Amino acid sequence: MGRALDQGGDVRRVRLAADAADALRGFGRDARTRIADGKTVEYTALTELQAGEHFLIEDRESLDEIADLRAAVLHAGDLAPVSPTQLDASIGFYVVGVGESGEQAAFIRRTDPRMAAKPGRLLAMGRERLESVDEQIFTFSNEFDLVVGPTWAVIFNQIAFERLARESGIVERHVANWITGITDSLAMDTSSVDRLRETALRDSRTWRRLRDIKRRGHLANVDLTQVVDYARAVGMDPRTVVRDGALHFDPQERFGFLHLLSEDLYRGALTGERFESQRKAAME
């Protein structure tokens, strides 16, 4: 069980009865089957997972970005086990760990597995008669959000992964570096940098765009004149992105700003309408 790692949280290993451990291992096998039967797609700023798809992360740069999370979940088996009654009130995700050292896999679901009776509701166990349950009850699912291995990670649930990336501090640790993919080449006023950082910490689409801009490195030989010309060419008011000789970021215009710097805007040759590219690949 895990708490938000950026807020003093940690991972606890919980004692399991043999039948519970067997059931959870079965859930892990279900997830492996889901990987084998599913379609692998690349994790980029433009990609949104569809039914039957999953992201596969195996490049070193991406794995390094989630290094703290990987270390926490892959080494949970080294911890001394605790009783479920020793868990505190804050559980952000649970992990099912299988395998030996060097071959571990951690199956993660971003949810609190505990069920609790709420005001006006009763939890009961049915045997010969219904009896109220005062102890903690846990419920688990074979629908994991992601699976982490020693040299790879598979993402089934994009929304859950991106929330976990924010809650575990991954985005906060890397967002300043991602922003340098812009500011190393193009001047941006300090207030705009601050607003861009704050927006990225809240919005996954923003930090994914920044991450891709940094990795692509295409702005290295671009100047502000080219940015202004490109904005005009696609029908944007250049003042929404460039003011007083520097890039200007308005959170309300964040998608236009990031689409422009990602080269994802174009005009239709027949109608002159402005479009956003949803997927793209460089042509040979």
Side-chain angles (χ1 to χ4, degrees):
M1 309 290 175
R3 297 180 289 177
L5 302 179
D6 63 329
Q7 300 174 358
D10 54 14
V11 175
R12 302 286 184 89
R13 180 185 175 194
V14 178
R15 294 190 184 95
L16 293 174
D19 56 350
D22 287 342
L24 291 173
R25 290 190 193 97
F27 289 171
R29 289 191 291 271
D30 293 344
R32 290 179 184 274
T33 299
R34 185 178 173 189
I35 294 171
D37 294 344
K39 178 183 178 182
T40 299
V41 296
E42 184 181 3
Y43 183 53
T44 71
L46 296 176
T47 311
E48 301 288 341
L49 276 182
Q50 305 300 317
E53 295 181 341
H54 57 263
F55 294 130
L56 173 63
I57 295 176
E58 53 185 354
D59 64 284
R60 177 47 54 190
E61 190 173 6
S62 297
L63 292 173
D64 286 346
E65 288 172 347
I66 60 172
D68 289 348
L69 176 63
R70 292 171 55 234
V73 299
L74 288 176
H75 296 291
D78 299 334
L79 302 173
V82 300
S83 166
T85 59
Q86 294 176 268
L87 298 173
D88 64 20
S90 176
I91 297 178
F93 60 94
Y94 67 81
V95 182
V96 176
V98 299
E100 301 298 328
S101 178
E103 298 182 356
Q104 310 102 307
F107 299 82
I108 305 171
R109 185 170 174 86
R110 183 192 165 275
T111 190
D112 187 341
R114 293 173 299 184
M115 293 181 62
K118 299 179 181 179
R121 299 186 67 183
L122 168 71
L123 290 178
M125 183 184 305
R127 291 179 179 170
E128 295 298 322
R129 58 186 181 184
L130 285 178
E131 299 179 7
S132 63
V133 177
D134 297 323
E135 305 95 328
Q136 292 189 94
I137 295 177
F138 293 76
T139 177
F140 299 92
S141 170
N142 66 349
E143 293 290 324
F144 294 102
D145 297 322
L146 63 150
V147 186
V148 175
T151 59
W152 51 269
V154 168
I155 300 167
F156 293 124
N157 186 322
Q158 183 172 359
I159 293 174
F161 168 71
E162 290 173 354
R163 286 178 177 170
L164 188 59
R166 183 178 67 247
E167 294 162 353
S168 61
I170 291 170
V171 176
E172 185 170 8
R173 282 191 294 278
H174 295 286
V175 67
N177 180 55
W178 294 335
I179 290 174
T180 64
I182 299 173
T183 58
D184 280 353
S185 304
L186 299 168
M188 184 185 298
D189 67 80
T190 301
S191 296
S192 288
V193 172
D194 292 342
R195 289 192 295 269
L196 180 55
R197 180 182 183 279
E198 292 167 2
T199 302
L201 290 175
R202 297 191 306 268
D203 179 54
S204 63
R205 289 173 295 180
T206 298
W207 67 252
R208 283 161 52 195
R209 287 278 178 179
L210 292 173
R211 177 176 175 269
D212 274 16
I213 289 171
K214 173 67 175 179
R215 291 187 172 202
R216 188 177 164 205
H218 62 286
L219 298 180
N221 298 311
V222 172
D223 60 35
L224 289 174
T225 300
Q226 291 172 279
V227 175
V228 169
D229 290 344
Y230 180 30
R232 287 198 182 102
V234 295
M236 285 182 64
D237 182 351
R239 291 172 297 178
T240 62
V241 290
V242 177
R243 294 183 187 177
D244 300 322
L247 289 175
H248 173 79
F249 178 75
D250 179 350
Q252 299 301 316
E253 302 289 342
R254 63 188 181 277
F255 297 121
F257 178 91
L258 293 167
H259 282 304
L260 190 76
L261 294 183
S262 299
E263 295 185 299
D264 288 336
L265 298 177
Y266 66 96
R267 277 186 180 276
L270 300 179
T271 64
E273 292 184 52
R274 190 171 76 201
F275 297 95
E276 297 173 359
S277 172
Q278 296 303 308
R279 295 199 181 194
K280 64 182 182 183
M283 297 181 65
E284 298 296 336

